[in-house]
Each structure stands twice: as C-alpha cells, then as structure tokens.
Amino acid sequence: MHGYELKRSLDALLPRAQAVNVGQVYTALGKLEKDGDVEAEFVPNGEHSDRRVYTITDRGRGRLEQWLMLPVQRGDLRDEVFLKLALVRRTRTDAVHSVLTVQRTETLQQIQNLTLLAQRVPADQLETELLLQGVILHLEADLHWLDLWEDRMESGGPKR
Amino acid sequence: MHGYELKRSLDALLPRAQAVNVGQVYTALGKLEKDGDVEAEFVPNGEHSDRRVYTITDRGRGRLEQWLMLPVQRGDLRDEVFLKLALVRRTRTDAVHSVLTVQRTETLQQIQNLTLLAQRVPADQLETELLLQGVILHLEADLHWLDLWEDRMESGGPKR
DNA sequence: ACAGCCATGTAACTTGTTACATGATTTT
DNA sequence: AAAATCATGTAACAAGTTACATGGCTGT
C-alpha cells in the first residue's frame, strides 16, 4: 500500500471520531524503511500525485511474525485514578467519596457513548464491534473497582 | 518532602518489583518548580547531603485540586492486542487462534503472579491491595474479551 | 469560490524513561 | 571490601503526537 491508503485502512478499523493523523503514518513508514522492514517505489498516478507504494521485505516479514506471536504484557501497575485516590486518601480522607463519584459518573457516561457507537457500527465490521466490546468490558471492570474502593473506605475509613 | 523522600513514598505504594526511577522524581520536581507549583529550600542534614525540601505553592494547590477532581478519560480505543488480531485476521485467518491462545496464556500467567503478589501485601496497605485488585479485574475482562473473539471467529470465521 | 479529499512529507513539542555522574554513610 | 542506602542532579534517547507546508483535483 501507499501511505494515504494505509491511513484509510486504519481509519476503517476505528469509529469515525478516532481518525488517525496522517503525519504519523508517514513518520512510521519512514522509520520502517530506514530499518529495512519495508521498501518503497514510486508509482505514477495519472492526474494525482505519484504514490510511494511500500512493500514488506523478508526482514520485515520476520519481524512482523515475531511481533504477532509475542504476547502483550497487559498488567501495568501505573494507574492515574489509583494515584489520585491514594493521594486524596492521605491528605483529605473526606474527599475520597467525591473523587470516586466523579470518576464513576465519567465511566458510566463513557459506557453509554460507546454502547451507542457500537449500535451504529455496520454488521460486517466484526473487528470494530469487538474492539468496542473490549473497551466496554474494561470500563465495567473499572466500575467494579470503584465499588471496591467505596466498600473499603466505609469500613475502617474516614475517622482514622 | 525532599526528592528522595518522595521516591520512597511512591515506592511504598507499589509492590517491591515496581520501584520508581529516582531520576524521574527530580526531573518532575524540576518542572513543577519551573511552573511555580512548588518551591524548594535547602535544609541542612548533618553528616548527609543537604536536602532540598519542596513546598507546594498556592498555585500548585489549586492545580492539584483541579487535577484531583477532573475525571480520568479511560476508554482509549488504541489497543495493541486488537491491532494484532485485526491484522492477523486479514492476512492469515488461520493464525487468529494461535494469537488468541498465546495472549490468553500470558494473561492467565499475569493474573496468577498478581494474585500471589496480592497475598504478600501487608494487611495495612489497603491502597496497594486495591491497586492489584484493579489490575486483576482488567485482566479478567481481557480474558472475557478473548473468549468473545474466539466465539466470533468460529461462526462466520476461518473459511471466509 | 470554497471546502474537502488525495497525496506527500518535515519540524517540533511533550512525556516518559533511562543511564550516568558524584559523593558520603551504613550495612553485610 | 563490597554492596546497598541516602541524596542530588543532568544528558540523552524513544515514542507518540501534532501542526504546518505543499499542491492538485473534485464536488457543491
């Protein structure tokens, strides 16, 4: 593919609002080319600008294969909401509940937005549908987690 | 607090393995000072090096308050596992199952590690316990999501 | 005429992170 | 004697991201 084509391909995977910045595609392709993972060649395009069409190299194919089969490490312990809650608990114990409520409201809002979005995804876009489902599952986990905080704050909480 | 003290404070919130790089604390404090959110003053420390003790300014306190009460937007649609699955489905439909299995194994492993870690957290470290619980909830959501993929791949899947 | 799409790319900024440099003290 | 802790900080790299620059074509 050429750069712009790739951008469109990526956009098609994501809901309308989340379009990719084109510049990023070109910087990424530049890096891949420098590393020898892809090769490019100009292909005339009639009236339009010529296209730089990229082809994956053997090296690139190998690295792609490796990347695909390498599991993603997902259990990151750095979490902004956690930081806020831990901090607020130590300095203004009484405000923990507010932070929890604000965050819960936001999360519910997000879930609603994404649910609406999911309903508008064409039935043939299986992947996009699954992506949204995944994000929603995470947000629901967040809600459970906020409830856990709330429970723990009540017992052994504000007075101490 | 002074820089090193802050580092220790942060470390205390996280399990042993996840210690903060000290350098980062100093670069962050430097930026806060430049922005006028904190002020520093040297305090002698007997035999040891003098300490630069930081104090929050009014401006800093205001910005902190804002940050605390601003909800974190959590529903990020960029997901590496999703990218892998979407890509592999389009180029080697038969390999989707392998990617799913690799990722599931990794996720189970992570959950086990974190569960063990959680058991070793002292009972008085409420926050750390909750942090680990949160990460585990997310990983369990990941497992559900991988199952969703598996289901959807079977119906309407490999042959197409 | 103006907006928007097609097509390329570069310069620059932010954030996160690490590796290193220095030097004294305390623990093993 | 070596390793770890206390304490400060800088230089530099990596990744992600955006804003801008250029120019032609297409649809309203």
Side-chain angles (χ1 to χ4, degrees):
Chain A
M1 292 190 186
H2 59 273
Y4 200 82
E5 197 179 357
L6 239 149
K7 174 231 184 336
R8 266 179 304 174
S9 259
L10 287 172
D11 285 347
L13 275 178
L14 302 168
R16 250 169 283 298
Q18 290 284 127
V20 171
N21 182 310
V22 205
Q24 208 167 339
V25 174
Y26 290 108
T27 50
L29 282 172
K31 211 200 158 212
L32 286 171
E33 194 179 7
K34 196 196 70 189
D35 296 347
D37 293 319
V38 297
E39 285 166 352
E41 141 188 56
F42 271 105
V43 172
N45 183 24
E47 324 276 353
H48 280 271
S49 325
D50 289 353
R51 292 161 167 167
R52 278 200 93 198
V53 173
Y54 290 87
T55 314
I56 195 166
T57 63
D58 285 347
R59 179 171 191 274
R61 202 176 297 279
R63 303 228 300 145
L64 174 61
E65 184 66 23
Q66 273 185 10
W67 176 73
L68 282 174
M69 285 310 162
L70 191 76
V72 176
Q73 294 231 355
R74 222 84 169 288
D76 193 1
L77 293 184
R78 291 170 198 194
D79 184 308
E80 191 175 344
V81 180
F82 167 73
L83 242 198
K84 290 192 184 184
L85 287 166
L87 226 181
V88 89
R89 176 156 187 268
R90 297 179 168 210
T91 54
R92 336 176 126 198
T93 320
D94 54 305
V96 175
H97 182 69
S98 314
V99 176
L100 284 170
T101 303
V102 166
Q103 191 62 40
R104 183 156 30 223
T105 306
E106 168 72 22
T107 308
L108 283 166
Q109 187 64 54
Q110 281 274 332
I111 291 177
Q112 212 177 344
N113 291 157
L114 291 172
T115 307
L116 286 176
L117 238 182
Q119 284 165 6
R120 265 184 250 123
V121 172
D124 60 310
Q125 283 197 277
L126 181 59
E127 287 114 338
T128 308
E129 220 179 293
L130 281 165
L131 172 62
L132 293 175
Q133 254 311 307
V135 178
I136 290 171
L137 283 171
H138 274 125
L139 291 171
E140 288 172 347
D142 280 342
L143 286 179
H144 285 148
W145 187 61
L146 294 173
D147 288 343
L148 278 184
W149 271 89
E150 199 89 59
D151 293 349
R152 294 294 186 89
M153 289 304 103
E154 273 165 31
S155 56
K159 289 280 162 82
R160 229 200 285 156
Chain B
M1 291 189 186
H2 59 272
Y4 200 83
E5 198 179 357
L6 239 150
K7 173 232 185 335
R8 265 179 306 176
S9 260
L10 287 171
D11 285 347
L13 276 178
L14 302 168
R16 251 168 281 299
Q18 291 283 126
V20 171
N21 182 310
V22 204
Q24 207 165 342
V25 175
Y26 290 108
T27 50
L29 282 171
K31 211 202 160 212
L32 286 171
E33 196 180 6
K34 197 195 70 188
D35 296 347
D37 293 319
V38 297
E39 285 167 351
E41 135 187 62
F42 271 105
V43 172
N45 183 24
E47 323 276 353
H48 281 270
S49 324
D50 290 354
R51 292 160 168 168
R52 279 200 94 196
V53 174
Y54 291 86
T55 314
I56 194 167
T57 63
D58 286 346
R59 178 170 193 275
R61 202 176 297 281
R63 302 228 301 144
L64 174 61
E65 184 65 23
Q66 274 185 9
W67 176 73
L68 282 174
M69 285 311 164
L70 190 77
V72 177
Q73 294 231 357
R74 222 79 169 289
D76 193 1
L77 292 184
R78 290 169 197 194
D79 185 308
E80 191 176 343
V81 180
F82 167 72
L83 242 198
K84 289 192 185 187
L85 287 166
L87 226 179
V88 87
R89 176 156 187 268
R90 296 178 169 211
T91 54
R92 336 176 126 200
T93 319
D94 54 306
V96 175
H97 183 68
S98 314
V99 176
L100 284 170
T101 304
V102 166
Q103 192 62 40
R104 183 158 28 225
T105 306
E106 169 71 23
T107 308
L108 283 167
Q109 186 64 54
Q110 282 273 331
I111 290 177
Q112 212 178 343
N113 291 156
L114 291 172
T115 307
L116 287 176
L117 238 182
Q119 284 164 5
R120 265 184 250 123
V121 172
D124 61 309
Q125 283 198 274
L126 182 58
E127 287 113 339
T128 308
E129 220 179 293
L130 281 164
L131 172 63
L132 293 175
Q133 255 312 305
V135 178
I136 290 171
L137 282 171
H138 273 124
L139 291 170
E140 287 171 348
D142 280 342
L143 286 179
H144 284 147
W145 187 61
L146 294 173
D147 288 343
L148 277 185
W149 271 90
E150 198 88 61
D151 294 350
R152 294 295 186 88
M153 289 303 103
E154 273 164 31
S155 56
K159 287 282 161 79
R160 228 199 289 157

